[in-house]
Amino acid sequence: MSAEAADRVAAVTSSRPGTPLQTSWFEFLLDASLLEKHLQKSNPDPTGVQLVVQFLEQASKPSVNEQNQVQPPADNRRNRTLKLLALKVAAYMKWDLDALEKGLSIPVLNMLLNELLCVSKVPAGVKHVDLDLSTLPPTTAMAVLIYNRWAIRTIVLSSFPEKQTKPGPHQMNMLSVVQQEKEMTDNILSVLKEQASDSISVLAGALRLKKDLYVHTVRTLDLLAADASAANGETESSTAGLRISANELHCQVHYDLGAIFFQRGCTDRPAFEQARDHFRQTKELLRKLDSAVHVHLDEERLAGYWNACKALTGDCDSRDSQTTRYDQINGLLAARGYQGVVEAFIKDNASRTLPDHFRHSVLRELSYKAQQGEAGLDEVCRQLCACNAVRDALDGEVLGVRFRQLLMKPGKRLLDFVLENDDISLSVRPSFRSSSPRRVPNNVGSQVCSRSLEQEPSSEASRRNAAAFMRGLCEGLEDPALASLVSSHQLFGELLREEERTPLAEQLKKRSAAVDLGAKPLPSFYDIPASASVSVGQLEQRLILSSDPRAIRHILNELHDAADGPFWKVNGKWEVPPDYINVILAIKDGLTKDLVYILTAKGLHCTAIKDFAHARQLLSACLELVTEFSPRLRQVMLNELLLTEVRAHESAAALDGGKERPPPDLVSRVRGYLEMRIRDLPLRQAVGEECVAFMLNWRENDYLTLQVPPSAVAGNPYVKLGQLLASTCKELPGPKESRRTAKELWDAVVQICSVSVQHKRSNDGRVGLIKHRESSMGILHRSKFITFVKKIREPLVLTTLISLFVRLHSFVRDDIVNDVTAEHLSIWPASLPNIQAVDVEAVAVTVKELVTYALTLNPNNQSWLITQADIYFATNQYSAALNLYLQAGAVASDFFSKAVPPDVYTDQVLKRMIKCCSMMNCHTQVAVLCQFLREVDYMTAFKALQEQNSHDAMDSFYDYIWDVTILEYLTHIHHKRGETEKRQIAMKAIGQAELNTSNPEEVLQLAAQKRKKRFLQAMAKLYF
């Protein structure tokens, strides 16, 4: 290449602008300061959310070992740093969920927020709803709130319809990846929806917080990376991190709660009222906040939510001057002031403030009411349709189909309404206003067209659109007389120019001359008879809505006459248990098959929703029908009717506290079912489950232990479990005798909570254990076992089960200090040989569910309250634990009006109450409780009183101290510190005559009991 050519190439190359290279993710690992510099750029490439995806994608990549086996992502420094970088990006974005949700998929955002929970020291293995936010460090509480806010926001967003994108040719190889992500998203959504109630409770608890919270920033995350032990104190202090004021937090939480309640309102109407209250609080807090820096919400959407809630709850008053146009119209609809709605639409045609979709939605709502038979709405619907047509015309839009259908069968009354045919002088000038005084017509609705043109300033576009509407109206009317009515109207002459009016007048003359008055008129749209498919559809709708057996039979007869079946598929929500489906579908006659299937499905649905009256009617009718041709189906219906009767009696017993025993006939039928053995008869496990629970609830222990046939025990796992429970409960008074049956029950439950363990030899020769959940070793799966237990109301059975699981929990947890207590622990085995096969998490979750369920039945059971308190204590939830310990004492002593029995407040319970107070920095309460022990714990009391940073009322508790030694120590400490006032209070307490050590023992005991009662009552007021 010549020198001249080289110069030309160099000149061209240098003239091209250089494209900056995109920063790679690994560069941020090499330079810790690069991330913040990158994010501070005006248009960073890659963006923040793209970096989060890259960091988490790299951190979660599986590894491959030397044997070419895929291993889960390693927990090494590289991966931890990548996760921390992803958190830093989110912290730089100030945890704006709107921005994160737009840029990140649900699986990625779920992974990011779970990492936030980990670094924020959220207790593992504890449900968020069980956490006391007020006792958590600020950053920890904020992490919990961010996660639960995202959970309910994701549920709300997932309910919105989305358009599915069709993959192009170049995307076909990505379908498997997309499918995997969709499955992950669906799994996460199902979990979030199951835990939605817990998330709502967590956010509701946040509204009770009065203090400001702090969220992690880039600085606090750097501190975590530098020194985890030091950073923990730094990030959890009251000054670290980004400060979120209580009002900002409440504003955001109210908005998110309003959205989830609004979404639930579709199936639960009262939820709209809760949504309205939350949105009202959001609006009020937004007005209070001068600069809502950390509140990220769509104010337009908030306004839409607010208007919708007011309309749906009827919280609108059209007479209120502060209300919007939406409120006024919704108020008129609620009050059935339909003529006022028409008047409002006419006014809006001039102002054009209401959006079209709102106007059309009002028309649809009133049309639906008219179809349901509400009188007087047909004329209102026609008037509103005309108002909307005029508005569409003025906006230059195409007229709707509904108005064109009206014009196919018009009348003079409709045209009078549209055109104001009342000899009103209206001169259409640039202002579209009359120059002379105008008479107000009697019918307000007859002013729609004229009043719609009253606007200032007027526009030429509105004038031409109005003229086009008049011309189209004239051309669209087939009746020459009505067309002449339009062409002779004053508006017609004022809006249309001469060159436009002349051709129309010629057309009208020709149409009038061509009319044959003797000809038969063509049928209008409304005269066309309904098609057969429309009639079938109406019958199917009636079939879905009906719950009357006779009506259902009559409708099915009509349907089979009108069309071919089957009709049991009309409603996809009609479900018959799989045990019965083959027997029912084997019926040869189509009509009978449809009738049996539909009656059974509707009857079972009514039983499920506790509409027992209709369930009895439907199932009895089905029983009468199948008795004629199928003995097997007859017995099936008898079994389902028995289930209905059992559930009806149990539902009534739950309301009246189980005072009325079941009739002997019902008990006899339940026994008959448990003993029944008919060959080839489909039996539903749910019926057996309900029957066994019924027998346990009504203490039919003798029958279950002695009289139930062995074949029933062998063939039904619920009968076997019921027999074990009944035997154990029956022999509970004698520990030695009950241990044999208790051992059998213990073995059965241990198997239910066990996992299958397999031994596998690795390539290096070592033998390892592989655990598989949901083992088939037990007589029931754990989920079915929990469902069965939650049907039991008998306190002794529940106490026995709680005792068993508490004992099992103590084995698998192996924590003597935080052991959970319960009644009858001595009857269970003293060891658990195959402990590695027990699913620890399943046991922990089950014992919590059991105690929580039991307390819903009887919140005043002392033993259950102590057990629940111990569970909270073992998981470091000290405020909740102390609350329940106090509840147990209050129940046992009639709200501390008398002494708490020593078997309730044992030394172990009192020491746990002392530790709860100590962990919450309530040191004066610790000192007072130390006196309650059988041997006063002076060392703990003195150590607590030395603490100067106490979060309780300190000297106000001195009146509850009766031990003179502790009072003397208090006096000494305050004197040493120079705290004169507090020393005087302690001196006053010690100087009371009833505390004189020379008094008789009875006087001293009386003084102690009086102070105990007053102290416990004061504590109850604090913690209840």
Side-chain angles (χ1 to χ4, degrees):
M1 180 184 292
S2 66
E4 186 177 347
D7 290 340
R8 284 199 304 270
V9 172
V12 171
T13 305
S14 62
S15 64
R16 291 172 184 167
T19 302
L21 294 175
Q22 188 182 66
T23 310
S24 297
W25 61 268
F26 60 82
E27 295 181 48
F28 298 99
L29 283 173
L30 304 175
D31 184 357
S33 62
L34 179 60
L35 179 64
E36 208 160 353
K37 294 176 184 176
H38 176 79
L39 294 174
Q40 287 171 353
K41 295 178 183 178
S42 57
N43 291 303
D45 185 22
T47 62
V49 289
Q50 290 172 341
L51 281 175
V52 171
V53 173
Q54 292 177 19
F55 291 148
L56 293 180
E57 182 181 358
Q58 295 298 325
S60 59
K61 273 189 176 179
S63 58
V64 179
N65 61 11
E66 296 176 356
Q67 288 78 31
N68 204 27
Q69 295 175 330
V70 178
Q71 302 290 326
D75 185 18
N76 52 30
R77 183 181 176 186
R78 169 189 174 274
N79 288 347
R80 286 195 296 271
T81 306
L82 284 168
K83 293 174 182 177
L84 195 64
L85 286 171
L87 291 173
K88 285 184 180 181
V89 175
Y92 184 85
M93 299 170 68
K94 298 182 179 179
W95 303 99
D96 181 359
L97 288 180
D98 285 335
L100 292 172
E101 287 166 346
K102 287 177 183 175
L104 301 178
S105 65
I106 290 177
V108 174
L109 192 47
N110 180 59
M111 190 188 308
L112 177 71
L113 295 182
N114 274 294
E115 288 301 321
L116 173 64
L117 295 176
C118 290
V119 302
S120 301
K121 307 293 190 299
V122 175
V126 181
K127 289 184 178 181
H128 291 177
V129 72
D130 294 334
L131 296 171
D132 185 356
L133 296 178
S134 62
T135 62
L136 294 177
T139 51
T140 306
M142 197 64 198
V144 172
L145 293 179
I146 289 175
Y147 179 84
N148 286 281
R149 279 188 53 224
W150 168 75
I152 65 171
R153 287 164 63 98
T154 303
I155 294 170
V156 172
L157 289 174
S158 68
S159 66
F160 297 159
E162 291 184 0
K163 184 178 180 180
Q164 298 294 328
T165 55
K166 295 183 179 180
H170 63 286
Q171 294 176 311
M172 294 305 291
N173 58 346
M174 297 176 61
L175 281 178
S176 60
V177 178
V178 173
Q179 184 64 27
Q180 288 177 6
E181 183 173 347
K182 183 178 183 302
E183 290 177 359
M184 289 176 61
T185 302
D186 292 342
N187 291 336
I188 293 171
L189 280 174
S190 65
V191 172
L192 294 180
K193 288 175 181 177
E194 287 176 6
Q195 299 173 351
S197 298
D198 288 351
S199 295
I200 291 172
S201 299
V202 170
L203 296 184
L207 298 177
R208 294 190 289 271
L209 296 176
K210 303 302 180 186
K211 61 181 182 180
D212 297 344
L213 293 183
Y214 295 82
V215 68
H216 280 300
T217 60
V218 176
R219 183 178 71 87
T220 58
L221 292 170
D222 277 332
L223 290 172
L224 279 175
D227 185 358
S229 60
N232 195 27
E234 171 71 28
T235 57
E236 291 174 4
S237 72
S238 59
T239 57
L242 180 65
R243 176 176 170 274
I244 309 294
S245 71
N247 280 343
E248 287 177 317
L249 175 67
H250 291 175
C251 181
Q252 191 72 65
V253 169
H254 275 301
Y255 178 76
D256 293 334
L257 285 174
I260 189 70
F261 280 121
F262 188 88
Q263 187 244 352
R264 288 185 165 192
C266 300
T267 55
D268 181 18
R269 294 288 295 182
F272 284 128
E273 297 181 4
Q274 294 174 281
R276 177 200 62 199
D277 295 338
H278 283 295
F279 289 132
R280 178 185 287 117
Q281 293 290 334
T282 307
K283 290 166 69 70
E284 291 176 359
L285 287 168
L286 273 178
R287 285 194 291 268
K288 288 181 184 178
L289 295 169
D290 296 331
S291 57
V293 180
H294 307 305
V295 176
H296 305 285
L297 55 85
D298 187 343
E299 294 195 32
E300 290 186 2
R301 182 174 287 254
L302 172 62
Y305 272 135
W306 175 244
N307 290 327
C309 285
K310 289 199 295 182
L312 291 165
T313 58
D315 188 16
C316 299
D317 187 355
S318 58
R319 296 168 296 181
D320 188 354
S321 60
Q322 300 297 321
T323 57
T324 63
R325 277 289 185 89
Y326 295 101
D327 299 334
Q328 292 171 3
I329 291 176
N330 287 324
L332 289 168
L333 289 172
R336 298 190 176 184
Y338 300 128
Q339 204 55 49
V341 177
V342 175
E343 173 69 12
F345 271 41
I346 295 172
K347 289 180 180 178
D348 183 66
N349 280 354
S351 62
R352 303 184 196 180
T353 55
L354 293 175
D356 283 345
H357 63 80
F358 176 75
R359 293 170 60 108
H360 288 291
S361 70
V362 172
L363 177 57
R364 283 195 299 271
E365 180 181 345
L366 294 182
S367 299
Y368 176 76
K369 289 183 178 180
Q371 290 175 3
Q372 298 301 310
E374 188 168 335
L377 280 183
D378 290 334
E379 182 63 25
V380 173
C381 290
R382 284 193 285 270
Q383 292 178 355
L384 290 180
C385 182
C387 290
N388 286 345
V390 173
R391 167 67 180 273
D392 289 342
L394 293 176
D395 289 341
E397 302 289 339
V398 178
L399 297 183
V401 175
R402 188 182 180 92
F403 184 70
R404 294 190 180 278
Q405 290 175 349
L406 280 180
L407 292 183
M408 294 179 69
K409 193 175 181 180
K412 186 175 183 300
R413 187 173 181 181
L414 175 65
L415 290 179
D416 285 346
F417 175 78
V418 174
L419 299 174
E420 186 190 3
N421 239 349
D422 284 329
D423 300 328
I424 300 173
S425 173
L426 180 66
S427 176
V428 182
R429 297 185 176 86
S431 66
F432 284 90
R433 285 189 172 273
S434 172
S435 58
S436 58
R438 195 154 56 96
R439 175 176 60 84
V440 178
N442 294 328
N443 184 3
V444 176
S446 66
Q447 306 174 27
V448 56
C449 199
S450 300
R451 291 178 58 189
S452 297
L453 297 172
E454 297 176 353
Q455 56 179 351
E456 291 215 33
S458 61
S459 65
E460 184 63 24
S462 296
R463 180 186 180 90
R464 298 314 307 157
N465 289 337
F469 173 71
M470 295 295 289
R471 184 174 61 251
L473 187 63
C474 188
E475 291 174 343
L477 293 170
E478 296 181 1
D479 188 345
L482 294 177
S484 299
L485 190 66
V486 176
S487 63
S488 62
H489 194 273
Q490 184 177 355
L491 276 178
F492 188 85
E494 292 173 338
L495 289 173
L496 274 74
R497 295 190 292 267
E498 180 66 29
E499 57 270 23
E500 293 173 323
R501 294 197 303 270
T502 304
L504 277 175
E506 292 296 328
Q507 289 180 18
L508 286 176
K509 287 180 182 178
K510 292 179 181 178
R511 285 165 59 186
S512 299
V515 170
D516 182 4
L517 297 178
K520 183 178 180 181
L522 294 173
S524 72
F525 176 82
Y526 294 97
D527 296 329
I528 300 174
S531 65
S533 60
V534 173
S535 301
V536 171
Q538 292 172 346
L539 287 171
E540 288 177 347
Q541 184 182 21
R542 286 171 53 198
L543 181 65
I544 292 171
L545 297 175
S546 178
S547 57
D548 180 12
R550 292 186 179 180
I552 292 171
R553 181 191 287 265
H554 179 69
I555 294 168
L556 278 174
N557 282 327
E558 292 188 37
L559 280 170
H560 275 269
D561 290 341
D564 295 330
F567 293 103
W568 58 270
K569 296 181 179 180
V570 165
N571 188 356
K573 293 187 178 181
W574 285 339
E575 294 181 357
V576 168
D579 311 272
Y580 303 157
I581 189 73
N582 292 330
V583 182
I584 295 176
L585 296 185
I587 300 173
K588 294 182 180 179
D589 180 63
L591 175 61
T592 306
K593 182 195 303 181
D594 288 340
L595 188 55
V596 171
Y597 187 97
I598 294 170
L599 288 174
T600 305
K602 284 178 174 283
L604 296 180
H605 173 70
C606 289
T607 301
I609 63 173
K610 298 186 178 181
D611 183 3
F612 300 114
H614 280 114
R616 291 187 186 99
Q617 290 180 9
L618 291 161
L619 293 174
S620 298
C622 193
L623 172 64
E624 183 181 350
L625 175 66
V626 299
T627 300
E628 302 173 0
F629 63 88
S630 174
R632 285 203 302 166
L633 278 176
R634 176 182 178 276
Q635 190 59 53
V636 165
M637 292 304 125
L638 286 172
N639 293 346
E640 291 301 328
L641 277 168
L642 172 62
L643 177 62
T644 302
E645 295 297 339
V646 167
R647 286 185 175 174
H649 193 274
E650 289 295 286
S651 179
L655 295 176
D656 65 10
K659 296 177 183 177
E660 183 180 349
R661 282 193 61 80
D665 173 62
L666 182 57
V667 177
S668 176
R669 288 169 61 191
V670 171
R671 290 183 178 186
Y673 175 81
L674 294 176
E675 297 169 7
M676 178 179 58
R677 285 295 169 267
I678 300 177
R679 189 177 179 183
D680 297 332
L681 178 66
L683 294 175
R684 198 154 67 102
Q685 290 281 15
V687 185
E689 177 186 7
E690 292 277 357
C691 287
V692 173
F694 175 84
M695 299 297 274
L696 286 171
N697 286 336
W698 295 105
R699 297 174 289 282
E700 295 286 338
N701 295 336
D702 289 336
Y703 173 78
L704 288 173
T705 53
L706 303 174
Q707 300 176 29
V708 67
S711 59
V713 177
N716 192 324
Y718 294 106
V719 178
K720 173 66 175 174
L721 187 59
Q723 186 182 61
L724 293 174
L725 283 167
S727 301
T728 305
C729 293
K730 184 180 176 184
E731 298 176 359
L732 263 182
K736 292 182 180 178
E737 294 78 5
S738 65
R739 284 183 180 173
R740 181 182 59 80
T741 54
K743 177 68 167 59
E744 294 178 11
L745 177 62
W746 170 271
D747 292 340
V749 172
V750 167
Q751 284 187 341
I752 289 172
C753 295
S754 294
V755 291
S756 58
V757 179
Q758 296 178 358
H759 296 274
K760 182 178 180 181
R761 188 177 298 277
S762 60
N763 293 335
D764 58 1
R766 290 181 297 178
V767 176
L769 292 178
I770 300 178
K771 291 187 176 183
H772 299 282
R773 295 191 183 278
E774 291 295 334
S775 168
S776 58
M777 297 165 59
I779 58 176
L780 283 175
H781 284 291
R782 191 182 71 87
S783 57
K784 292 183 178 179
F785 172 75
I786 292 294
T787 304
F788 170 70
V789 169
K790 289 187 176 179
K791 298 181 185 298
I792 297 174
R793 294 181 294 99
E794 170 56 30
L796 185 58
V797 178
L798 290 173
T799 299
T800 303
L801 284 169
I802 290 171
S803 172
L804 188 155
F805 273 96
V806 165
R807 184 68 169 170
L808 186 57
H809 185 258
S810 68
F811 282 132
V812 298
R813 200 168 187 271
D814 195 19
D815 184 0
I816 300 174
V817 176
N818 295 326
D819 236 0
V820 181
T821 58
E823 293 182 287
H824 310 304
L825 290 177
S826 61
I827 68 172
W828 308 115
S831 61
L832 185 61
N834 194 17
I835 193 169
Q836 70 272 14
V838 179
D839 189 343
V840 179
E841 183 182 348
V843 173
V845 170
T846 305
V847 72
K848 290 179 184 177
E849 287 188 19
L850 257 177
V851 180
T852 303
Y853 166 69
L855 285 172
T856 60
L857 297 176
N858 183 8
N860 296 327
N861 187 297
Q862 301 162 20
S863 172
W864 298 345
L865 286 168
I866 293 290
T867 303
Q868 181 78 301
D870 287 345
I871 292 171
Y872 282 133
F873 182 84
T875 54
N876 302 329
Q877 299 178 69
Y878 300 111
S879 177
L882 185 58
N883 176 292
L884 287 163
Y885 285 133
L886 288 168
Q887 281 190 47
V891 168
S893 61
D894 196 12
F895 198 73
F896 306 115
S897 61
K898 50 190 177 184
V900 180
D903 60 334
V904 176
Y905 275 0
T906 61
D907 268 8
Q908 180 182 1
V909 170
L910 290 170
K911 286 177 180 178
R912 291 186 174 186
M913 293 172 69
I914 289 169
K915 184 176 180 181
C916 289
C917 293
S918 178
M919 296 304 293
M920 294 187 292
N921 291 331
C922 298
H923 301 296
T924 316
Q925 296 172 13
V926 170
V928 177
L929 283 170
C930 285
Q931 305 171 108
F932 283 61
L933 296 167
R934 287 183 176 84
E935 296 292 334
V936 180
D937 188 352
Y938 290 112
M939 292 295 294
T940 303
F942 293 166
K943 184 179 179 181
L945 292 174
Q946 288 173 4
E947 297 285 345
Q948 291 183 288
N949 183 25
S950 186
H951 292 173
D952 55 20
M954 297 184 69
D955 48 10
S956 67
F957 285 103
Y958 292 175
D959 284 340
Y960 306 128
I961 301 176
W962 64 86
D963 189 280
V964 177
T965 306
I966 294 176
L967 286 170
E968 288 174 345
Y969 183 76
L970 265 175
T971 307
H972 166 70
I973 277 189
H974 290 315
H975 176 72
K976 188 177 178 180
R977 293 175 184 165
E979 297 169 344
T980 309
E981 291 183 6
K982 292 183 179 180
R983 179 175 177 274
Q984 290 296 329
I985 296 172
M987 290 290 292
K988 183 180 177 182
I990 203 173
Q992 297 178 72
E994 57 188 355
L995 297 183
N996 193 323
T997 53
S998 302
N999 289 336
E1001 186 65 26
E1002 295 81 3
V1003 175
L1004 293 175
Q1005 287 293 331
L1006 189 61
Q1009 288 300 330
K1010 183 175 74 172
R1011 283 163 176 76
K1012 281 183 180 180
K1013 293 175 188 176
R1014 287 169 49 213
F1015 172 71
L1016 291 173
Q1017 287 171 350
M1019 291 284 282
K1021 289 178 182 177
L1022 280 175
Y1023 291 99
F1024 282 4

